[in-house]
Amino acid sequence: MSSVVETRYKSPPECKLSSAPPESPSFYQRLVESIRPLIIISMIVVKGVPSAVFYQLTNPSLGFFNPFKWFDLIHKLGFAKILAYGDEIWGGYKRPLVEQANGKILEIGAGSGENLKYYNKDNVETLYALEPEKSLSTMLAENIVKHGFAEKSLLIPVGIDDKDKLAAFGVSENTFDTIVLVQVCCSLPNASAHFKYLQSLLKPGGKLVMFEHVASTDPLTRILQNLYTTVIWKKAALGCELNRASGIWMKELGGWEHVDLLRPEAENSGTLLPHDIGVFTKASYANVAHD
Ligand SMILES: C[S@@+](CC[C@H](N)C(=O)[O-])C[C@H]1O[C@@H](n2cnc3c(N)ncnc32)[C@H](O)[C@@H]1O
């Protein structure tokens, strides 16, 4: 039996968190889980087609006759729809995590802005929302206005790799009270290489909050994660990898005064998208050099 633990952030009763290893799946659960990535990829296509048709009709251009343009639109617009769908499923876990963000906040890979609704606006001094993907940052800009963050936010259309450009936007050491990572470590090229940098951006005592799908500890599930990632998932999901141990890597970085690293109690060890939910508080001694 897994144990439910008390945390300093309150998730709703149906979103219990646990620090214990996940339970084993039934045969049926494992079977369903083993095709989940295929179901998600099909949904990207099914949801992307109507959005692409609408886009092509409302933005007439020669691109209408270009199959590559259609492919790109279906892929990217369908992916944004999947982010919104995922938000409906995981919102109960994300809200209590994101709403504890305060002060100067940096959200990495903010996507289309699905997390904006979870911030406690009264506690936000400035939200720096970093999103390099053009189709997503356009939606992010609209959602920033829709959710009333226009006066309190800075949209940075730059990737985490471009540290010089980020510095020009004010993203520098010991600046942020909170860093928000929601389903982004799976997509950042060479994610763990940026973890020290992210830590350096926090003020001492600042918090990094994380909601990430991660590598499974179950050997069979891990084999499936590796297979899917290599064969189809990475291409279909804009560079996302299913097999990154992001929570563990962040913890092992050291330099944290406190770490809460939990997982949804409802997830069993057969899931191909198991989650780490973490709050990492930077220690005052952690002003380490980074690359
Ligand atoms: C799975 S999406 C998650 C989006 C959003 N956080 C959410 O939960 O809806 C991953 C995000 O990481 C972004 N991303 C990819 N490479 C990046 C990079 N080098 N720097 C910053 N963000 C990046 C993608 O553009 C995308 O928005």
Side-chain angles (χ1 to χ4, degrees), residues 238-291:
L238 298 180
C240 171
E241 295 185 348
L242 294 168
N243 49 3
R244 296 185 176 175
S246 305
I248 304 284
W249 293 343
M250 192 63 85
K251 185 175 178 177
E252 288 179 351
L253 183 67
W256 305 112
E257 178 185 290
H258 189 89
V259 175
D260 270 329
L261 187 58
L262 302 167
R263 60 170 197 84
E265 195 201 32
E267 288 179 352
N268 62 54
S269 64
T271 179
L272 267 76
L273 288 132
H275 288 85
D276 274 351
I277 300 177
V279 180
F280 302 79
T281 308
K282 181 175 171 176
S284 49
Y285 58 81
N287 283 331
V288 287
H290 62 86
D291 301 332

Side-chain angles (χ1 to χ4, degrees), residues 79 83-84 87 94 107-115 130-133 136 158-161 181-189 194 211 213 237-238 240:
F79 188 72
L83 289 180
D87 190 62
K94 287 157 68 174
E107 183 174 345
I108 306 290
S112 53
E114 287 299 337
N115 303 316
L130 197 153
E131 178 49 57
E133 174 60 45
L136 293 175
V158 172
I160 194 173
D161 335 69
L181 300 175
V182 176
Q183 296 176 143
V184 68
C185 293
C186 53
S187 301
L188 296 178
H194 302 291
F211 176 83
H213 67 82
L238 298 180
C240 171

